[in-house]
Amino acid sequence: MEEMQGVEDDNHNCRAEAVSVCSPAQVCVDSDSSSDTCESTSALLLNSTSKFLLNTMTAEEYRTVYWPKLERAIEHLLTQSPMEHISISYEQIYSHVYKCVCQQHSELLYSDLMWKITSHLEQVSSELQASPPEDLIESFNVALTRYTAALHCIVPVFIYMNKFYIETKLNRDLRDDLMKLFSDHVAEKHVSTLLPLLKKAHSMPFQVKPSTMASVVKGLYALRPDWVPLAPALFSRFIPQIDPPALESQLPYYAAQDKTLQMELSQNGFSRGDQSRKRASEES
């Protein structure tokens, strides 16, 4: 007899294909047991074989077997530091995601993934809320850096869900959705505190490492470009070409800005040095 087996076609979609399976009579033809036992054993064998060949996954099996494994892997990826290595089988995660998608559990998988990451980000936001103001810029930078590093691993292993559910049915992209979660649940809750701290730190050179300043400002811009009007001067220092083109009529204003900056640097101990001396290359 023939049974139907779920296999993958050239487009990575699941389809059914007929395969040959022995009938109950063939299984028991050489058995010495009674006919009742033979029929019962044959029925169980056929049922078990059919389930294996069909490769079905019930919602209960997804909930109790597959999702717990995926959830643990996601938790590891979200909480490890960029310099830390945690042994995770990416092949196994990819395989589980692929099977869930083929077995029509894409919507459930997407919902669980978003719930898991949202829960994690709410915890991150709470930790930032408890951070002292003087540490908030650095703490936010660590949180954003760790999250984006995790996405470099999470997005690729969920590529089948992204391709056959999010892009096809939701007309969105997984990475965009996950970055929006960080924007909504972390950045938006702290931007009103972060921007004044960033502006203050920028007016006092090296109070915060330049690399940290650049990382946070560029990160905020990538999350929400519409935050630029909240601190245009700050963003323009790190994001090129976001200011309107320079106008000749505003040259005196630009010169005044430059003079003010030089005075601030001088007041903070940055001397221009002896301008009367020639450069070494100019000496004859």
Side-chain angles (χ1 to χ4, degrees):
M1 64 180 293
E2 291 185 337
E3 291 290 340
M4 303 304 293
Q5 179 180 8
V7 298
E8 179 191 358
D9 63 17
D10 293 336
N11 294 320
H12 306 293
N13 293 317
C14 288
R15 60 182 175 84
E17 186 174 273
V19 294
S20 178
V21 182
C22 294
S23 67
Q26 290 174 306
V27 173
C28 299
V29 67
D30 296 325
S31 176
D32 295 331
S33 60
S34 65
S35 59
D36 290 342
T37 304
C38 182
E39 290 178 2
S40 176
T41 303
S42 300
L44 289 172
L45 180 60
L46 181 59
N47 183 56
S48 176
T49 304
S50 298
K51 183 176 180 181
F52 174 77
L53 291 173
L54 286 170
N55 202 26
T56 58
M57 181 199 302
T58 64
E60 180 65 20
E61 187 179 7
Y62 164 83
R63 182 62 63 196
T64 59
V65 178
Y66 288 88
W67 171 245
K69 294 178 182 179
L70 291 171
E71 184 179 17
R72 285 193 297 271
I74 294 166
E75 181 69 24
H76 283 313
L77 293 172
L78 289 171
T79 55
Q80 70 176 350
S81 67
M83 302 303 295
E84 182 183 5
H85 174 72
I86 298 177
S87 179
I88 295 177
S89 174
Y90 292 98
E91 182 180 0
Q92 186 181 55
I93 302 172
Y94 180 90
S95 176
H96 288 345
V97 171
Y98 175 78
K99 185 171 182 179
C100 290
V101 173
C102 281
Q103 294 296 322
Q104 309 300 315
H105 294 298
S106 300
E107 183 176 359
L108 189 57
L109 180 60
Y110 175 75
S111 176
D112 284 340
L113 176 64
M114 299 298 279
W115 168 82
K116 175 63 181 177
I117 294 183
T118 297
S119 300
H120 168 76
L121 291 177
E122 288 177 346
Q123 177 64 32
V124 169
S125 182
S126 298
E127 293 172 358
L128 290 176
Q129 191 70 40
S131 178
E134 61 270 19
D135 297 333
L136 183 59
I137 295 175
E138 182 64 39
S139 297
F140 182 87
N141 184 52
V142 170
L144 179 58
T145 301
R146 181 174 295 181
Y147 184 71
T148 52
L151 295 195
H152 286 312
C153 299
I154 293 173
V155 172
V157 295
F158 279 84
I159 189 172
Y160 267 89
M161 183 185 72
N162 187 41
K163 183 174 181 64
F164 293 107
Y165 177 71
I166 302 176
E167 291 182 356
T168 304
K169 294 189 177 182
L170 304 182
N171 296 316
R172 297 201 302 266
D173 177 76
L174 178 58
R175 180 176 177 80
D176 292 344
D177 282 3
L178 296 183
M179 289 305 295
K180 187 176 186 302
L181 286 183
F182 190 93
S183 176
D184 292 345
H185 295 280
V186 180
E188 190 168 349
K189 293 181 179 180
H190 300 280
V191 68
S192 59
T193 306
L194 266 174
L195 288 179
L197 291 172
L198 288 166
K199 288 190 285 187
K200 180 180 177 181
H202 188 260
S203 67
M204 303 174 65
F206 300 104
Q207 182 183 33
V208 176
K209 290 188 297 184
S211 59
T212 299
M213 287 284 295
S215 176
V216 173
V217 174
K218 290 178 180 178
L220 291 174
Y221 179 77
L223 291 169
R224 289 274 298 273
D226 57 341
W227 281 335
V228 170
L230 300 178
L234 174 67
F235 281 98
S236 65
R237 294 288 182 180
F238 299 94
I239 311 297
Q241 300 180 348
I242 64 170
D243 280 337
L247 301 175
E248 184 178 355
S249 61
Q250 291 187 327
L251 287 177
Y253 170 74
Y254 300 142
Q257 275 192 321
D258 183 66
K259 185 176 181 179
T260 300
L261 176 61
Q262 292 182 23
M263 290 180 60
E264 290 175 351
L265 290 173
S266 178
Q267 291 170 0
N268 283 279
F270 292 88
S271 175
R272 298 181 62 188
D274 187 356
Q275 299 297 306
S276 64
R277 298 184 62 184
K278 293 183 178 181
R279 296 184 178 88
S281 61
E282 295 177 351
E283 294 179 355
S284 57

